[in-house]
Amino acid sequence: MRVRFAPSPTGALHIGGVRTALYNFLLARKHGGKFILRIEDTDQTRYVKGAEKYIIEALSWLGLEFDESPEKGGEYGPYRQSERKATGIYEKYAEQLVTDGHAYYAFDTEAELSLARAQAEEKGLKFKYDAATRIQMKNSLNMSESAWKQLVNSGAPKVIRLKIPEEGVVTFKDMVRGVVSFDCSELDDKVMLKNDGMPTYHMANIVDDYHMKISHVIRGEEWLPSTPTHVLLYKFLGWADVMPEFAHLPLILKPEPTAYLNKRTIDDFSEQFTSDFISQNNQYAEKFDKVKKVVHPLLQDFKNISDRLKINEKKDDKLKKELKSYLRDVMYGKLSKRDGDRLGMPVFPLDWNGGSPANSFKGFREWGFLSEAVLNILALLGWNDGTDQEIYSKEEMIHAFSMDRVSTSGARFNFEKAKWFNKQYLSQINNGKLIELVQSDLNEKGVNVGVEKLNLVAGLMKLRINYTTDFYHQGKYFFNELNVEEIEIRHQKNFQKKILNKWTDNRKKELDNLFEKINEIPVFDSESLEAYVEPLIESNKGEILPIFRLGLSGEMGGPGIYEIMEVLGRSITLKRLKDFINFCEDRYQVRDPSD
């Protein structure tokens, strides 16, 4: 078994592409096959500098190791199509198709093609270069041999188009969808070789798969309509007996609207959708309020949003029809890079800097996801092994994976579920590994503490954080001094209700005595502290513990109080508590008794 992941270096690698790479990887590893990276950079007009490096770094972070690639090399290289093109291999087979009568030269200019499209549109049709229209176009099928040869020899601009049979059906077996058939009348004469000598995706893809001995082609369902053309190419080139098996994976779909639409968010999304709609429809540039008055009611019944967005041809006016169509496009269908910005979630494995804020995106890694969690999330977007298991190691995925358990229907991306997966992996992570992952962030924040303390903090925080980026944010009181005045402001309601309102004239003296006893505990660890302190505060625990929590961490939640005390140590614990009760006593003394 030999499978390949063949991305184009045209920008950041979307998680849909990562899932394709993952399924190829799992299948190859399960069957002891080879997993190959081929960079399909034939379209130089869309080439983006840095994209290839990004792809390789992203897949490396995820642990999807290639057996052959541009970097590793291999028996069937080169592994970049631009380098393979230099050997003349694509032109050779394109010309062979012409010689064998399966392709032809087309000399149509862009102006002539545009005219043909316009004429078709006038008749309410969509122009297609095929058996019905090729006879009217400027190509070698409509010229004498001497005429088209003269054009070829003179260097006239030309392309080579595949000659689709006028009749017949192309049938192939898809590993996911079963037997699939396309009528030849549905296909068009796709370009195989462009005027600049560069092959199109279709030509290069088939030639490379053949020469690299690819046995299985696993790709997204958007390539399904192209597959009959590829099947014909295998047949026309005489390679039908070694044609790979095809599998077309379901789309990764946008989240359900109910995942982000609720009473609290409707106003924000009404503003956002209105602004975006107007940016695409300049005729409404001065009508923001009017557009929003249509958008807002449509979103209010968010539990039935799909029905709300159905167009009523008789009752809906032009604006409402346009808005319903727009909202269906942005709320349903394939997950896009813009959905990440819109919904505040990553859709790329790593950060991507596209040169401007509009073209730059945050990745799962920088968001604070573990690579193992991302693999687990993506594996289950379109596949399950028929059990209720949700958490899989990479080895378990390899063992359980099979193409017959891949779904034919699209899988909705659920960011809350993705967050849950990450939390499960973080809770089980080795403390040392977590410290490695957060160390650069701690260095950036100027944190300089010993390994022993970091290990204790990691043991507490990994059970509570959703992302690695939460480590410092939620645990910064372990590394920094507290500002008691800021705590009062940030937790004003709880400070008043749980502390000042329950303060007594004797409270400071009572707490000072308690602190003296705490200072005498021989072993200052969480277990000893809890066993010693709990009996002492049993009668007023509900009044004392909020003082401890706010005084030690400045937060109302987090790890257990005694665990916090152990990490902070005896001296810092007592200093923070004493500073806090002194502050509370001062506030109590100057309070307004009528409050």
Side-chain angles (χ1 to χ4, degrees):
M1 180 178 288
R2 289 177 58 81
V3 301
R4 59 19 175 215
F5 178 56
S8 298
T10 55
L13 180 62
H14 188 273
I15 58 170
V18 176
R19 187 195 59 176
T20 298
L22 172 61
Y23 283 15
N24 275 277
F25 171 85
L26 295 176
L27 191 66
R29 290 292 177 266
K30 179 167 185 175
H31 295 282
K34 299 295 185 182
F35 179 49
I36 300 150
L37 174 66
R38 184 174 73 225
I39 299 296
E40 300 201 335
D41 56 351
T42 53
D43 190 346
Q44 292 294 301
T45 61
R46 298 179 61 224
Y47 177 83
V48 174
K49 186 178 180 181
E52 180 181 328
K53 181 180 177 183
Y54 176 95
I55 291 166
I56 293 170
E57 183 181 350
L59 297 174
S60 175
W61 174 64
L62 290 163
L64 301 182
E65 309 93 356
F66 292 101
D67 299 297
E68 301 168 27
S69 70
E71 289 187 327
K72 293 188 73 172
E75 186 180 350
Y76 300 95
Y79 293 89
R80 291 186 188 89
Q81 284 186 339
S82 56
E83 295 172 8
R84 296 176 72 83
K85 187 262 177 187
T87 67
I89 191 171
Y90 306 123
E91 188 173 5
K92 169 189 170 184
Y93 287 109
E95 294 289 353
Q96 179 182 315
L97 288 169
V98 175
T99 301
D100 294 344
H102 298 305
Y104 57 92
Y105 298 110
F107 304 95
D108 313 279
T109 65
E110 189 53 48
E112 289 167 336
L113 290 170
S114 296
L115 178 61
R117 293 187 195 103
Q119 290 173 340
E121 287 175 8
E122 287 177 5
K123 299 175 184 177
L125 304 172
K126 185 176 180 180
F127 175 75
K128 188 169 60 167
Y129 208 123
D130 60 7
T133 60
R134 68 169 78 115
I135 200 69
Q136 305 157 13
M137 305 303 291
K138 189 177 178 181
N139 55 62
S140 57
L141 299 178
N142 302 326
M143 301 178 183
S144 65
E145 185 175 351
S146 60
W148 66 255
K149 279 189 174 180
Q150 184 177 356
L151 285 173
V152 170
N153 293 334
S154 67
K158 68 181 186 306
V159 299
I160 292 179
R161 288 184 179 272
L162 189 67
K163 185 182 178 184
I164 300 294
E166 294 185 28
E167 297 179 344
V169 175
V170 180
T171 300
F172 59 93
K173 185 176 181 181
D174 188 283
M175 297 172 71
V176 174
R177 298 157 197 281
V179 176
V180 182
S181 297
F182 287 83
D183 196 292
C184 287
S185 63
E186 300 172 8
L187 310 179
D188 61 333
D189 294 354
K190 295 193 182 299
V191 174
M192 297 290 106
L193 199 71
K194 293 181 278 189
N195 181 50
D196 60 3
M198 289 298 285
T200 60
Y201 166 83
H202 309 287
M203 188 75 216
N205 185 274
I206 299 310
V207 170
D208 287 344
D209 281 351
Y210 171 74
H211 282 278
M212 290 183 174
K213 300 188 183 302
I214 300 302
S215 62
H216 296 73
V217 171
I218 305 168
R219 56 193 178 190
E221 73 171 40
E222 62 269 28
W223 293 110
L224 185 60
S226 298
T227 307
T229 298
H230 300 169
V231 171
L232 287 173
L233 276 169
Y234 275 102
K235 177 183 175 183
F236 293 162
L237 290 167
W239 303 334
D241 57 333
V242 292
M243 184 171 69
E245 292 189 57
F246 292 101
H248 292 88
L249 308 178
L251 296 174
I252 296 179
L253 303 175
K254 301 173 191 287
E256 282 283 359
T258 50
Y260 54 88
L261 275 181
N262 54 57
K263 291 179 180 178
R264 296 188 307 275
T265 64
I266 282 175
D267 285 342
D268 288 342
F269 277 105
S270 294
E271 292 269 344
Q272 186 182 128
F273 287 140
T274 298
S275 298
D276 189 51
F277 174 78
I278 289 173
S279 72
Q280 298 178 32
N281 299 271
N282 292 332
Q283 66 269 35
Y284 297 109
E286 305 299 323
K287 301 177 181 179
F288 185 93
D289 290 340
K290 181 179 179 179
V291 172
K292 188 178 175 182
K293 282 181 180 178
V294 179
V295 172
H296 196 275
L298 290 173
L299 301 185
Q300 275 188 315
D301 189 9
F302 51 85
K303 292 182 180 178
N304 299 299
I305 191 71
S306 181
D307 289 335
R308 296 280 290 156
L309 296 182
K310 290 178 180 176
I311 293 174
N312 187 318
E313 293 292 347
K314 292 183 178 180
K315 293 184 178 180
D316 293 343
D317 61 19
K318 180 175 179 289
L319 174 59
K320 198 167 190 176
K321 288 178 182 176
E322 290 179 352
L323 277 168
K324 284 184 174 181
S325 178
Y326 159 77
L327 288 170
R328 288 198 71 83
D329 286 344
V330 297
M331 298 174 76
Y332 294 93
K334 184 179 178 181
L335 183 72
S336 73
K337 61 184 180 182
R338 298 300 172 194
D339 291 318
D341 285 341
R342 182 167 60 86
L343 302 177
M345 63 185 191
V347 295
F348 296 100
L350 316 178
D351 276 3
W352 171 256
N353 184 354
S356 69
N359 292 310
S360 298
F361 307 96
K362 200 166 182 65
F364 275 91
R365 182 179 67 182
E366 290 76 14
W367 201 280
F369 278 82
L370 300 179
S371 59
E372 299 91 337
V374 176
L375 283 185
N376 203 148
I377 294 160
L378 293 179
L380 297 180
L381 282 175
W383 167 81
N384 72 78
D385 65 357
T387 72
D388 293 329
Q389 184 173 345
E390 290 190 290
I391 303 297
Y392 292 83
S393 67
K394 189 164 67 172
E395 290 69 29
E396 288 174 322
M397 285 184 216
I398 291 169
H399 178 74
F401 187 77
S402 64
M403 291 303 299
D404 61 350
R405 298 296 307 180
V406 175
S407 173
T408 58
S409 56
R412 292 204 175 278
F413 182 68
N414 183 331
F415 185 59
E416 288 303 311
K417 188 69 173 180
K419 186 163 66 174
W420 177 85
F421 271 110
N422 203 51
K423 189 175 180 66
Q424 305 313 303
Y425 276 89
L426 280 168
S427 69
Q428 299 298 320
I429 196 172
N430 174 274
N431 289 352
K433 174 73 180 297
L434 178 57
I435 291 168
E436 285 178 22
L437 292 171
V438 302
Q439 191 65 62
S440 62
D441 188 36
L442 295 179
N443 292 342
E444 196 175 288
K445 300 293 194 303
V447 173
N448 184 19
V449 298
V451 173
E452 185 178 348
K453 181 175 180 177
L454 266 182
N455 192 61
L456 288 171
V457 176
L460 295 181
M461 297 307 298
K462 72 181 184 182
L463 301 174
R464 293 164 176 84
I465 57 178
N466 293 317
Y467 316 111
T468 57
T469 47
D470 291 338
F471 186 89
Y472 175 80
H473 178 70
Q474 292 186 20
K476 57 187 175 184
Y477 53 85
F478 287 118
F479 313 116
N480 301 301
E481 296 291 334
L482 297 185
N483 185 316
V484 185
E485 291 182 351
E486 286 182 2
I487 294 172
E488 180 193 22
I489 294 169
R490 194 166 70 253
H491 297 286
Q492 187 173 20
K493 186 176 179 179
N494 281 315
F495 185 83
Q496 184 68 42
K497 180 181 177 182
K498 295 189 175 185
I499 297 179
L500 284 192
N501 288 355
K502 296 184 178 182
W503 202 266
T504 66
D505 292 333
N506 270 336
R507 181 53 49 84
K508 182 177 185 303
K509 184 178 179 181
E510 173 191 4
L511 288 168
D512 278 335
N513 289 335
L514 177 61
F515 298 158
E516 285 182 18
K517 293 175 181 178
I518 290 174
N519 191 36
E520 294 171 359
I521 298 176
V523 180
F524 204 81
D525 61 25
S526 61
E527 188 176 337
S528 302
L529 284 162
E530 184 172 4
Y532 188 82
V533 174
E534 286 288 310
L536 298 177
I537 63 173
E538 187 175 3
S539 62
N540 56 356
K541 184 175 177 179
E543 296 176 9
I544 301 300
L545 289 186
I547 294 171
F548 275 42
R549 185 165 288 284
L550 274 181
L552 293 170
S553 69
E555 304 294 342
M556 289 303 299
I561 288 170
Y562 303 110
E563 293 171 317
I564 294 174
M565 292 170 74
E566 177 183 353
V567 174
L568 292 175
R570 191 188 305 268
S571 60
I572 294 178
T573 292
L574 293 172
K575 181 179 184 305
R576 285 190 183 182
L577 289 174
K578 288 176 181 178
D579 288 347
F580 189 70
I581 65 164
N582 287 336
F583 180 83
C584 294
E585 178 72 4
D586 289 343
R587 285 288 187 267
Y588 175 73
Q589 297 295 340
V590 299
R591 78 194 189 289
D592 184 344
S594 64
D595 286 347

